[in-house]
Amino acid sequence: MSKITDKTTMSRRTALELAGGGVIAALLTGTLAGAARADAALLSDAIKKAVGDSAMTEGRITLDLPEIAENGNTVPVSVAVDSPMTEADHVKAVHLFAEKNPAADVASVYFTPASGVAKASFRMRLAGTQNVVAVAEMSDGSLFTAKKLVKVTIGGCGG
Amino acid sequence: MKGEITALATIVALTTGAGAIAFAADDWGKFQVEDRRSGYTYATAETQAMQDDEFANPAMLWVEHGEEAWNKVDGEAGKSCNSCHGNAAETMKTVGSTYPVFAKDIGKLENVEDRINRCRTDNMKAKAWKYDSQNMLGMVSYVKRQSLGQPMSVKIDGEAAPWFEKGKAFYTQRRGQLDMACSHCHVDNAGNMIRANTLSQGQGNGFPTYRLKWQKPGSLHRRFRGCNKQVRARPFKTGSDEYLALELYVMWRGRGLPVETPAVRN
Amino acid sequence: MASKPRVRVPKTAKKGEIITIKSLISHKMETGRRKDSKTGELIPRQIINKFVCNFNGKQVFASDWHPAVSANPFMAFNFKAEESGEFEFVWTDDDGSTYSKKASLTVN
């Protein structure tokens, strides 16, 4: 293979491009902070629509998501709820929300005692770094919740 | 100068909130041969898992589509692929690891896409398929899947030699507004970050590859077009002689790496 | 791509065993928020909005999907094997069409 000799030029160009990316990223962070209140309202509306506005307790849910997602188009997610899954005591549904997506709803999964365990895995879209929120509805009507922050990488060649 | 790039990349990574991506292991086993590393080794654990699980790998939907098409009669000659080639598991076993090849009867280099279309138009009297169409991606994926795990070994001597030289020259030729060659990213900076993504060696052993960005599989030539566009160069057409020559060179770069079709990448 | 489902269910299970079921279907899951790069017009939403798993005619698992579910949707879930029978998986598209697949399970 022939050797590329002009490496200095490459590095300077890359350096400038990378530095530019940093500034843009910093500006974006500021904009996102301003939009946070609107996101919170969208999220609470979506949750209210799915389960009403009863009180929710944190816990019982294991929300498995990558800390850093390589691409926001396809983020593997697994949600499991601790429950005996009997007729008398089981998980009826788990609703998943993404607080900064254009629409907060992601998916709802509905279990039955025949499920054996309340667990589901699939892949979701995340429009940027944000919290993913899970709300579980139990057979006695009680609600549990959990959330996890997922960082979504952008830019470069995969963005 | 590499240090400078890495340092700046780290700053950007921190600014955007994307820290170092955790890799599964340092021993890459079959995915590394000497200094040649499959793109698999640069992917996150989640992306690797999506490829590893033959059921969960979304590109297997296309492989299945290809398998169906293999057995389906099409064209005026009333033939299917199966009519001439029989059991693909046996007859197509080395295709994925050895193509593109110099085809004496047409006097030029030919990749799997071109060979499929030649079969379709000449032997089956059927319509040619478009590059990156569902049918073409399905058939190429199914055919190359039969070579899963085989070490890549394209022939670059004899009549293939001029094509190889042409592909090699392409690889180191600066182009586009950014004035960059393939080698700037995939030789000089493989493993470094370009903004929030890790640059790979740009190996071709997993194509057609399901890219998370595309949300479907795509050909190696489609990937070439993407790379060329990213350095703001005018891309060549999929199936062009330029990309065919480049395909041969890229496949040679990955010699010994296992065929992974269909791979899953960012 | 025409929607074609795949499911993976073990052929046999012991009574009381909790099995894992995996499903995959080809679908663009068009969000309705993308613009056509040539015309600049919004591409209308078209997604699979519901996935149901029945066993011996009774619903045992279901899921509602929104545009945030990735293209070529994958879903894995569990089932407690108590008796032999047949699964039916049904995916419902925004346009009203459905795609389905069956699989049988023998419990011993």
Side-chain angles (χ1 to χ4, degrees):
Chain A
M1 171 169 310
S2 68
K3 189 80 188 147
I4 300 294
T5 48
D6 194 12
K7 276 194 74 178
T8 318
T9 314
M10 157 70 186
S11 299
R12 190 169 58 231
R13 185 177 295 110
T14 310
L16 285 169
E17 193 178 300
L18 289 170
V23 173
I24 292 163
L27 286 171
L28 269 177
T29 313
T31 320
L32 287 175
R37 278 184 61 179
D39 293 331
L42 278 176
L43 176 67
S44 61
D45 282 356
I47 292 175
K48 202 191 277 183
K49 211 177 131 200
V51 297
D53 45 11
S54 316
M56 296 188 284
T57 316
E58 278 188 33
R60 285 180 76 167
I61 303 175
T62 308
L63 191 52
D64 193 7
L65 279 152
E67 217 165 287
I68 300 171
E70 198 164 22
N71 191 303
N73 278 338
T74 313
V75 183
V77 51
S78 181
V79 62
V81 188
D82 184 20
S83 162
M85 294 306 278
T86 57
E87 281 294 338
D89 181 4
H90 61 270
V91 184
K92 280 170 67 179
V94 177
H95 310 277
L96 277 147
F97 307 93
E99 70 175 2
K100 283 178 187 161
N101 272 4
D105 297 292
V106 175
S108 298
V109 286
Y110 303 96
F111 301 104
T112 60
S115 301
V117 290
K119 188 182 174 193
S121 312
F122 63 103
R123 298 163 189 155
M124 64 188 284
R125 291 169 168 149
L126 287 177
T129 295
Q130 58 182 300
N131 280 314
V132 173
V133 178
V135 175
E137 264 184 284
M138 315 307 263
S139 52
D140 66 1
S142 60
L143 301 176
F144 289 84
T145 186
K147 72 175 175 184
K148 187 162 179 197
L149 179 70
V150 182
K151 292 171 185 169
V152 178
T153 62
I154 47 163
C157 305
Chain B
M1 297 315 279
K2 268 196 178 174
E4 184 186 329
I5 293 174
T6 315
L8 271 159
T10 311
I11 293 165
V12 173
L14 291 173
T15 319
T16 53
I21 290 173
F23 292 107
D26 287 316
D27 174 16
W28 299 115
K30 64 180 178 180
F31 296 105
Q32 175 161 16
V33 176
E34 293 164 4
D35 57 352
R36 302 184 288 281
R37 275 171 58 182
S38 159
Y40 182 92
T41 68
Y42 297 96
T44 57
E46 291 82 20
T47 307
Q48 291 174 345
M50 217 179 286
Q51 174 177 329
D52 292 342
D53 182 338
E54 197 174 298
F55 186 86
N57 181 342
M60 291 306 289
L61 289 162
W62 276 259
V63 173
E64 252 183 22
H65 179 78
E67 184 175 11
E68 255 176 50
W70 178 269
N71 295 303
K72 203 166 113 190
V73 172
D74 195 9
E76 286 166 24
K79 290 180 187 169
S80 69
C81 306
N82 182 58
S83 314
C84 296
H85 299 287
N87 182 3
E90 286 166 22
T91 59
M92 297 292 123
K93 202 174 174 181
T94 58
V95 170
S97 52
T98 56
Y99 268 64
V101 296
F102 185 86
K104 281 191 169 41
D105 36 4
I106 54 165
K108 64 174 292 194
L109 195 72
E110 199 174 37
N111 64 4
V112 179
E113 282 88 344
D114 290 343
R115 187 70 193 86
I116 288 168
N117 267 345
R118 191 148 67 92
C119 256
R120 288 184 57 79
T121 54
D122 294 6
N123 304 332
M124 296 167 73
K125 307 287 177 206
K127 266 202 213 160
W129 282 330
K130 278 191 183 158
Y131 236 90
D132 285 295
S133 61
Q134 182 201 342
N135 282 326
M136 185 58 97
L137 284 171
M139 187 57 76
V140 178
S141 302
Y142 175 63
V143 167
K144 288 198 172 184
R145 179 76 181 172
Q146 309 308 316
S147 308
L148 182 70
Q150 303 254 346
M152 301 268 294
S153 57
V154 289
K155 194 169 165 348
I156 59 166
D157 56 357
E159 284 158 310
W163 290 86
F164 177 76
E165 290 305 325
K166 199 176 155 190
K168 184 177 174 181
F170 189 109
Y171 205 80
T172 49
Q173 170 68 53
R174 290 175 172 277
R175 65 189 71 242
Q177 271 186 319
L178 297 189
D179 203 26
M180 286 168 76
C182 309
S183 57
H184 282 125
C185 284
H186 300 295
V187 177
D188 300 346
N189 283 293
N192 288 338
M193 292 192 91
I194 183 157
R195 300 187 64 192
N197 293 138
T198 308
L199 284 165
S200 75
Q201 292 179 356
Q203 299 290 2
N205 57 312
F207 281 84
T209 286
Y210 191 96
R211 279 194 80 197
L212 305 182
K213 176 181 176 174
W214 293 335
Q215 305 182 61
K216 62 177 288 198
S219 67
L220 183 58
H221 289 202
R222 180 178 177 190
R223 190 67 192 87
F224 289 161
R225 282 177 63 84
C227 276
N228 279 173
K229 283 183 204 163
Q230 268 151 352
V231 300
R232 303 193 189 133
R234 182 189 289 249
F236 292 91
K237 285 194 169 133
T238 50
S240 61
D241 284 356
E242 287 82 359
Y243 283 168
L244 268 179
L246 183 59
E247 179 176 352
L248 180 63
Y249 180 71
V250 166
M251 293 309 208
W252 173 81
R253 283 194 74 221
R255 60 202 179 281
L257 290 176
V259 173
E260 288 173 42
T261 308
V264 180
R265 302 281 188 267
N266 182 21
Chain C
M1 181 166 193
S3 295
K4 232 187 143 282
R6 297 179 90 198
V7 291
R8 178 167 289 178
V9 179
K11 283 195 175 65
T12 59
K14 288 195 174 71
K15 189 171 161 59
E17 186 183 342
I18 294 171
I19 60 169
T20 299
I21 295 171
K22 293 180 184 179
S23 69
L24 185 67
I25 186 165
S26 60
H27 200 286
K28 277 186 181 168
M29 297 297 277
E30 191 63 60
T31 61
R33 291 175 188 274
R34 288 198 316 147
K35 281 182 179 166
D36 187 303
S37 57
K38 284 179 188 129
T39 64
E41 279 173 34
L42 270 186
I43 303 169
R45 171 184 140 149
Q46 191 182 359
I47 67 167
I48 292 175
N49 57 54
K50 196 164 189 59
F51 168 66
V52 173
C53 169
N54 297 319
F55 185 72
N56 288 342
K58 194 179 162 207
Q59 182 176 310
V60 292
F61 177 85
S63 184
D64 290 331
W65 294 347
H66 298 279
V69 169
S70 302
N72 306 309
F74 170 82
M75 179 66 78
F77 54 97
N78 300 91
F79 177 75
K80 193 173 182 183
E82 294 287 3
E83 52 172 357
S84 299
E86 191 178 57
F87 288 102
E88 189 191 24
F89 305 88
V90 184
W91 292 258
T92 307
D93 197 298
D94 272 349
D95 68 9
S97 53
T98 58
Y99 321 102
S100 64
K101 185 115 182 166
K102 287 179 178 174
S104 58
L105 174 75
T106 306
V107 172
N108 47 35

